[in-house]
Amino acid sequence: MSYFSEIYDGIKTLLTGMSVTGKYFLNSRKGAITQQYPDNRDTLQMFDRFRGEVVMPHDENNEHSCTGCQKCELACPNGSIEIIWDRVVDEETGKKKKIIDQHIYHLGMCTQCGLCVDACPSDAIKWAQNFENSVYDRTQLTRVLNKPGSKVRAGVEE
Amino acid sequence: MKILSINEWLLSFMPAGAASITEMVLIALIYLTVFAVLGLYLVLLERKVAAWFQLRLGPNRVGYKGMFQTLADALKLVSKELTGTVKADKFLYNLAPYFVIITALMALSVFPFTENLQAFDINIGLFFLIAISSIGVIGILLGGWGSNNKFALIGAMRSGVQTISYELSVGLSLLTMVILTGSLQLSEIIEVQKNGWLIVQGHIPAMIAFMIYMISGTAETNRAPFDMVEAESELGAGYHTEYSGMKFAYFFLAEFINMFIIAAIATTVFFGGWLSPFGITESIPFMGIFWFLAKTFVLVFLMMWFRWTFPRLRVDQLLTLEWKYLLPINLVNLVLMAVIVWLNITIQF
């Protein structure tokens, strides 16, 4: 009797498959994933998990959360991140403290693997969603992530 | 009769022989035009439907919403060089596309598109259709053999296996319906359905026959999930690997016309051809064309739905499906239909 149950199962599974694709077909108008890119350049928003380039967010006081621990530099497999750091004396405690001078990011070498973002203990760096990254000169691909005059946000180091 | 009146008009100023030849040429030209336009727009429809199934947009650049995309493709194909392999059997190689396209065109000629709009109403209509559709496979075999290419040959041989097997199921499922109609003539099959479409009249066995017909019809046209013949990932493009330009386009168009033909046979035999549902537009002339095309395109859509849902079968699975499942069910179904007609328990309005 497995002959007939096989026929029944066969038809049932085929219809299940067809109902799945049928739902896709009916929802294709609103759910099309194709982006008509150059046409919708002004409105196109990349999705949240898209890895465009590494950026360091700064708040309104021009403060970032990078403590200069260099974990991202160590995590990077191909040396895209270089941190030039310095020691200063903390005014409040009088202890010596490590700060970043320049957080240098080479977009031209970056493979968008995301290990630096994962490694960062203070969430100082994250992915941006921009995708038009081509430039005419490769020196423009070397970026300093911390803005001039910025400093680490108080309380990040604790 | 529309065609008859053209005949009288031609007879009024030329001798009978010349008139009939002119008439034939006119009808052939009309069918060729219909053939070309239909083929091109079925390709466009396929691409659009495929895109919608995969949540894409499909061709939308050439003309309004991509209306002229396939026209542009055809122009490109016309302008391309016709290449061939060195040791190809030139005669058979060049002959093959015409076999495929002429059989498709011949099959198209017997359909009653509406009352009195039928080029060739022969009394063995269904038999003619089945016979013609199996000649098409000779073109595929010749193409595969003549190309001097191992992939083309494997594809063609697979096509032979497939068509010989599934021809049986197509024939038997249509024969099941012929028991109900008592005629092979397509216009008479439509006539019988004025008391209810055959899928309603024949209820259970008719539905089984329809399912078997659609499965084996899809296999007949070498479309996915039965596209072992082309099997892009295994054989390149199968039997038409070595064809280019317009010869390739002939194969391609014929494939889509065959899909239309399979759907049109199903429309004629199961869904009342040009008859409107419950006779709602019976008084309007030439509404039959609309109903015929509407039903056919629904079935064409069904075949496209199959294509973009199911994965490709292996050759042994294909033959198991035909010889162990479809054929025995079909034979039992034939007997069931005979009993139903004998006991007169059909549903008639």
Side-chain angles (χ1 to χ4, degrees):
Chain A
M1 286 317 278
S2 71
Y3 183 80
F4 294 104
S5 63
E6 269 169 27
I7 293 173
Y8 172 76
D9 285 344
I11 294 171
K12 198 179 131 193
T13 48
L14 289 180
L15 288 179
T16 312
M18 282 178 75
S19 76
V20 170
T21 47
K23 270 174 209 150
Y24 276 123
F25 180 79
L26 293 175
N27 292 322
S28 61
R29 300 300 167 78
K30 52 189 178 204
I33 54 172
T34 312
Q35 298 291 340
Q36 307 202 49
Y37 163 54
D39 292 351
N40 67 350
R41 195 173 171 175
D42 301 329
T43 56
L44 180 61
Q45 275 292 319
M46 279 315 234
F47 44 97
D48 291 341
R49 287 169 61 187
F50 180 75
R51 295 168 176 181
E53 62 167 328
V54 173
V55 292
M56 184 180 288
H58 288 64
D59 63 10
E60 61 278 5
N61 303 323
N62 202 13
E63 288 176 336
H64 55 77
S65 344
C66 181
T67 59
C69 70
Q70 292 183 296
K71 277 184 178 167
C72 52
E73 189 176 1
L74 286 169
C76 184
N78 47 7
S80 304
I81 293 175
E82 286 175 61
I83 295 173
I84 299 171
W85 52 276
D86 203 0
R87 279 191 206 281
V88 291
V89 176
D90 198 316
E91 288 108 35
E92 289 172 29
T93 56
K95 285 179 185 170
K96 274 191 172 177
K97 181 184 146 186
K98 192 174 174 184
I99 58 154
I100 55 167
D101 182 27
Q102 283 185 316
H103 187 294
I104 298 167
Y105 168 58
H106 300 280
L107 177 58
M109 292 204 288
C110 181
T111 60
Q112 270 86 10
C113 69
L115 292 175
C116 54
V117 177
D118 294 343
C120 185
S122 54
D123 293 334
I125 47 177
K126 68 180 184 83
W127 287 110
Q129 273 72 44
N130 61 329
F131 51 90
E132 291 180 338
N133 286 331
S134 52
V135 289
Y136 284 105
D137 185 352
R138 66 177 175 172
T139 56
Q140 290 168 16
L141 292 172
T142 301
R143 286 162 196 190
V144 179
L145 295 188
N146 56 329
K147 290 180 187 165
S150 64
K151 61 182 199 303
V152 66
R153 194 179 296 120
V156 173
E157 284 158 322
E158 273 86 61
Chain B
M1 294 273 279
K2 182 96 177 156
I3 290 164
L4 207 68
S5 62
I6 294 171
N7 190 19
E8 278 161 11
W9 172 69
L10 285 172
L11 276 175
S12 64
F13 61 89
M14 55 173 77
S20 73
I21 286 169
T22 320
E23 205 178 271
M24 280 179 203
V25 169
L26 276 177
I27 290 171
L29 280 178
I30 291 167
Y31 269 80
L32 273 173
T33 317
V34 168
F35 184 84
V37 171
L38 196 65
L40 287 178
Y41 278 91
L42 278 169
V43 175
L44 184 65
L45 184 72
E46 168 92 51
R47 289 176 64 178
K48 272 285 186 193
V49 166
W52 288 332
F53 272 123
Q54 297 171 342
L55 295 182
R56 293 183 286 116
L57 295 171
N60 63 351
R61 295 284 145 165
V62 188
Y64 176 72
K65 292 200 183 250
M67 285 292 281
F68 301 118
Q69 178 65 55
T70 46
L71 219 59
D73 290 348
L75 278 176
K76 183 207 74 174
L77 283 170
V78 169
S79 69
K80 280 182 90 169
E81 186 194 355
L82 296 171
T83 57
T85 43
V86 180
K87 284 187 177 173
D89 189 333
K90 284 285 183 306
F91 177 68
L92 296 183
Y93 178 80
N94 291 325
L95 185 68
Y98 299 100
F99 252 101
V100 176
I101 203 142
I102 287 170
T103 50
L105 190 54
M106 276 170 83
L108 205 61
S109 69
V110 296
F111 287 111
F113 286 102
T114 184
E115 201 166 19
N116 303 329
L117 186 67
Q118 188 176 8
F120 188 36
D121 188 15
I122 44 174
N123 55 1
I124 51 161
L126 264 184
F127 182 65
F128 177 80
L129 279 174
I130 296 169
I132 279 293
S133 64
S134 10
I135 291 179
V137 75
I138 295 177
I140 293 175
L141 282 171
L142 289 184
W145 178 257
S147 296
N148 187 28
N149 174 318
K150 59 178 176 285
F151 295 125
L153 186 61
I154 293 170
M157 287 303 148
R158 284 184 182 189
S159 170
V161 167
Q162 192 170 322
T163 313
I164 288 166
S165 307
Y166 279 84
E167 198 64 34
L168 274 170
S169 278
V170 170
L172 278 174
S173 56
L174 291 178
L175 199 62
T176 316
M177 303 316 287
V178 170
I179 295 178
L180 206 56
T181 60
S183 171
L184 287 164
Q185 195 168 357
L186 291 177
S187 57
E188 262 184 44
I189 290 174
I190 306 272
E191 203 64 33
V192 169
Q193 300 187 65
K194 286 191 171 161
N195 303 322
W197 298 353
L198 284 185
I199 198 153
V200 180
Q201 278 195 35
H203 47 93
I204 296 164
M207 276 172 202
I208 296 171
F210 174 66
M211 282 168 79
I212 291 171
Y213 176 78
M214 279 318 276
I215 293 169
S216 43
T218 313
E220 273 274 291
T221 51
N222 299 331
R223 285 174 61 80
F226 302 103
D227 65 340
M228 260 90 48
V229 177
E230 283 161 42
E232 291 91 348
S233 45
E234 302 164 25
L235 299 177
Y239 63 93
H240 57 58
T241 308
E242 296 295 345
Y243 287 88
S244 67
M246 214 47 212
K247 282 187 207 160
F248 163 73
Y250 282 165
F251 279 119
F252 201 62
L253 278 186
E255 195 185 311
F256 279 88
I257 296 291
N258 278 332
M259 181 168 75
F260 180 83
I261 286 165
I262 291 289
I265 297 174
T267 305
T268 313
V269 176
F270 295 95
F271 294 100
W274 48 266
L275 294 170
S276 52
F278 308 108
I280 45 175
T281 58
E282 213 161 294
S283 50
I284 310 166
F286 293 105
M287 266 306 272
I289 299 177
F290 168 76
W291 286 113
F292 183 86
L293 288 180
K295 289 168 189 174
T296 309
F297 276 107
V298 167
L299 292 176
V300 165
F301 172 74
L302 189 66
M303 289 169 82
M304 289 177 178
W305 196 348
F306 291 160
R307 173 164 181 176
W308 298 106
T309 304
F310 304 141
R312 187 188 305 138
L313 274 75
R314 248 178 8 231
V315 178
D316 65 315
Q317 289 170 334
L318 174 96
L319 293 177
T320 307
L321 175 67
E322 164 63 19
W323 294 99
K324 289 190 183 165
Y325 292 90
L326 293 186
L327 193 65
I329 294 172
N330 220 331
L331 290 170
V332 172
N333 193 36
L334 190 67
V335 176
L336 184 65
M337 180 61 100
V339 170
I340 278 178
V341 172
W342 177 43
L343 298 175
N344 209 8
I345 42 177
T346 56
I347 301 169
Q348 305 232 358
F349 293 107

Short mmCIF file of all heavy atoms in Angstrom, two decimals, chain B residues 12 28 32 37 68 85 110 127 166-167 193 204 207 210 218 226 256 291 314:
data_model
loop_
_atom_site.label_atom_id
_atom_site.label_comp_id
_atom_site.label_asym_id
_atom_site.label_seq_id
_atom_site.Cartn_x
_atom_site.Cartn_y
_atom_site.Cartn_z
N SER B 12 -14.54 35.75 -56.66
CA SER B 12 -15.24 36.70 -57.53
C SER B 12 -14.32 37.30 -58.60
O SER B 12 -14.80 37.78 -59.61
CB SER B 12 -15.85 37.82 -56.68
OG SER B 12 -14.81 38.56 -56.06
N ALA B 28 -1.48 31.21 -44.14
CA ALA B 28 -0.14 30.87 -43.66
C ALA B 28 0.56 32.11 -43.12
O ALA B 28 1.19 32.06 -42.06
CB ALA B 28 0.68 30.25 -44.79
N LEU B 32 1.85 32.66 -39.41
CA LEU B 32 3.26 32.92 -39.15
C LEU B 32 3.43 34.15 -38.26
O LEU B 32 4.23 34.16 -37.33
CB LEU B 32 4.02 33.12 -40.45
CG LEU B 32 4.54 31.86 -41.13
CD1 LEU B 32 5.11 32.18 -42.49
CD2 LEU B 32 5.61 31.21 -40.27
N VAL B 37 4.72 36.53 -33.01
CA VAL B 37 4.34 37.43 -31.92
C VAL B 37 4.10 36.64 -30.63
O VAL B 37 4.58 36.99 -29.56
CB VAL B 37 3.07 38.23 -32.32
CG1 VAL B 37 2.54 39.00 -31.13
CG2 VAL B 37 3.40 39.16 -33.46
N PHE B 68 9.17 45.64 -25.17
CA PHE B 68 9.87 45.31 -26.40
C PHE B 68 11.19 44.58 -26.16
O PHE B 68 12.01 44.48 -27.05
CB PHE B 68 10.11 46.58 -27.23
CG PHE B 68 8.83 47.27 -27.59
CD1 PHE B 68 8.55 48.54 -27.15
CD2 PHE B 68 7.88 46.61 -28.36
CE1 PHE B 68 7.36 49.16 -27.47
CE2 PHE B 68 6.69 47.22 -28.68
CZ PHE B 68 6.42 48.49 -28.24
N THR B 85 30.08 23.60 -35.79
CA THR B 85 31.31 22.89 -35.47
C THR B 85 31.95 22.34 -36.73
O THR B 85 31.31 22.23 -37.77
CB THR B 85 31.02 21.74 -34.49
OG1 THR B 85 29.84 21.09 -34.91
CG2 THR B 85 30.85 22.25 -33.10
N VAL B 110 -4.50 23.62 -36.20
CA VAL B 110 -5.76 22.90 -36.07
C VAL B 110 -6.63 23.39 -34.91
O VAL B 110 -7.74 22.91 -34.74
CB VAL B 110 -5.54 21.37 -35.92
CG1 VAL B 110 -4.91 20.82 -37.16
CG2 VAL B 110 -4.72 21.06 -34.70
N PHE B 127 -5.59 13.24 -32.77
CA PHE B 127 -4.58 12.28 -33.23
C PHE B 127 -3.48 13.02 -33.98
O PHE B 127 -2.29 12.77 -33.78
CB PHE B 127 -5.27 11.24 -34.12
CG PHE B 127 -4.35 10.17 -34.61
CD1 PHE B 127 -3.76 9.28 -33.73
CD2 PHE B 127 -4.08 10.05 -35.96
CE1 PHE B 127 -2.90 8.30 -34.19
CE2 PHE B 127 -3.23 9.06 -36.42
CZ PHE B 127 -2.64 8.19 -35.54
N TYR B 166 6.80 9.79 -22.40
CA TYR B 166 5.67 10.62 -21.97
C TYR B 166 4.62 10.79 -23.04
O TYR B 166 3.49 11.18 -22.75
CB TYR B 166 6.20 11.97 -21.47
CG TYR B 166 6.69 11.85 -20.05
CD1 TYR B 166 7.95 11.40 -19.77
CD2 TYR B 166 5.84 12.12 -18.99
CE1 TYR B 166 8.38 11.25 -18.48
CE2 TYR B 166 6.26 11.97 -17.69
CZ TYR B 166 7.53 11.53 -17.44
OH TYR B 166 7.95 11.37 -16.15
N GLU B 167 4.99 10.48 -24.29
CA GLU B 167 4.00 10.48 -25.38
C GLU B 167 2.84 9.55 -25.04
O GLU B 167 1.68 9.84 -25.32
CB GLU B 167 4.71 10.02 -26.66
CG GLU B 167 3.99 10.36 -27.93
CD GLU B 167 3.89 11.84 -28.14
OE1 GLU B 167 4.80 12.58 -27.78
OE2 GLU B 167 2.86 12.25 -28.68
N GLN B 193 -18.98 20.04 -25.37
CA GLN B 193 -18.80 20.72 -24.09
C GLN B 193 -19.81 21.84 -23.87
O GLN B 193 -19.74 22.54 -22.86
CB GLN B 193 -17.37 21.25 -23.98
CG GLN B 193 -16.38 20.13 -24.07
CD GLN B 193 -14.98 20.57 -23.80
OE1 GLN B 193 -14.65 20.98 -22.70
NE2 GLN B 193 -14.12 20.50 -24.79
N ILE B 204 -14.32 12.82 -11.68
CA ILE B 204 -13.08 12.28 -11.08
C ILE B 204 -12.08 11.79 -12.14
O ILE B 204 -10.94 12.24 -12.16
CB ILE B 204 -13.41 11.18 -10.05
CG1 ILE B 204 -14.18 11.79 -8.88
CG2 ILE B 204 -12.14 10.50 -9.54
CD1 ILE B 204 -14.88 10.79 -8.01
N MET B 207 -10.47 14.68 -13.95
CA MET B 207 -9.47 15.43 -13.19
C MET B 207 -8.15 14.67 -13.12
O MET B 207 -7.09 15.27 -13.26
CB MET B 207 -9.98 15.71 -11.77
CG MET B 207 -10.85 16.94 -11.71
SD MET B 207 -11.60 17.07 -10.10
CE MET B 207 -12.99 18.10 -10.50
N PHE B 210 -6.56 15.05 -16.36
CA PHE B 210 -5.99 16.40 -16.53
C PHE B 210 -4.64 16.51 -15.82
O PHE B 210 -3.67 17.05 -16.37
CB PHE B 210 -6.96 17.45 -15.98
CG PHE B 210 -6.38 18.83 -15.98
CD1 PHE B 210 -6.09 19.47 -17.17
CD2 PHE B 210 -6.11 19.49 -14.79
CE1 PHE B 210 -5.54 20.73 -17.18
CE2 PHE B 210 -5.56 20.75 -14.79
CZ PHE B 210 -5.28 21.38 -15.99
N THR B 218 4.12 18.80 -19.63
CA THR B 218 5.31 19.55 -19.24
C THR B 218 6.57 18.79 -19.65
O THR B 218 7.54 19.37 -20.12
CB THR B 218 5.33 19.78 -17.72
OG1 THR B 218 4.04 20.23 -17.33
CG2 THR B 218 6.35 20.80 -17.32
N PHE B 226 11.33 18.80 -15.92
CA PHE B 226 11.72 17.69 -16.80
C PHE B 226 12.73 18.16 -17.83
O PHE B 226 12.72 17.70 -18.96
CB PHE B 226 10.48 17.13 -17.50
CG PHE B 226 9.42 16.65 -16.57
CD1 PHE B 226 8.28 17.40 -16.35
CD2 PHE B 226 9.56 15.46 -15.90
CE1 PHE B 226 7.30 16.96 -15.48
CE2 PHE B 226 8.58 15.01 -15.03
CZ PHE B 226 7.46 15.76 -14.82
N PHE B 256 8.67 27.48 -26.76
CA PHE B 256 7.59 28.25 -26.13
C PHE B 256 6.27 28.03 -26.83
O PHE B 256 5.22 27.97 -26.19
CB PHE B 256 7.97 29.73 -26.08
CG PHE B 256 8.87 30.01 -24.92
CD1 PHE B 256 10.23 29.88 -25.04
CD2 PHE B 256 8.35 30.33 -23.70
CE1 PHE B 256 11.06 30.09 -23.97
CE2 PHE B 256 9.16 30.55 -22.61
CZ PHE B 256 10.52 30.43 -22.75
N TRP B 291 -11.76 34.07 -24.54
CA TRP B 291 -11.87 32.98 -23.57
C TRP B 291 -10.83 31.90 -23.83
O TRP B 291 -10.22 31.38 -22.90
CB TRP B 291 -13.28 32.37 -23.58
CG TRP B 291 -14.25 33.27 -22.91
CD1 TRP B 291 -15.28 33.93 -23.50
CD2 TRP B 291 -14.27 33.65 -21.53
NE1 TRP B 291 -15.95 34.70 -22.58
CE2 TRP B 291 -15.35 34.55 -21.36
CE3 TRP B 291 -13.50 33.32 -20.43
CZ2 TRP B 291 -15.67 35.12 -20.14
CZ3 TRP B 291 -13.81 33.89 -19.22
CH2 TRP B 291 -14.88 34.78 -19.08
N ARG B 314 16.06 13.38 -11.88
CA ARG B 314 17.10 12.57 -12.51
C ARG B 314 16.47 11.74 -13.60
O ARG B 314 15.24 11.55 -13.60
CB ARG B 314 17.71 11.65 -11.46
CG ARG B 314 19.11 11.97 -11.09
CD ARG B 314 19.66 11.07 -10.02
NE ARG B 314 18.84 9.95 -9.66
CZ ARG B 314 18.50 9.65 -8.41
NH1 ARG B 314 18.87 10.43 -7.43
NH2 ARG B 314 17.80 8.59 -8.13
#
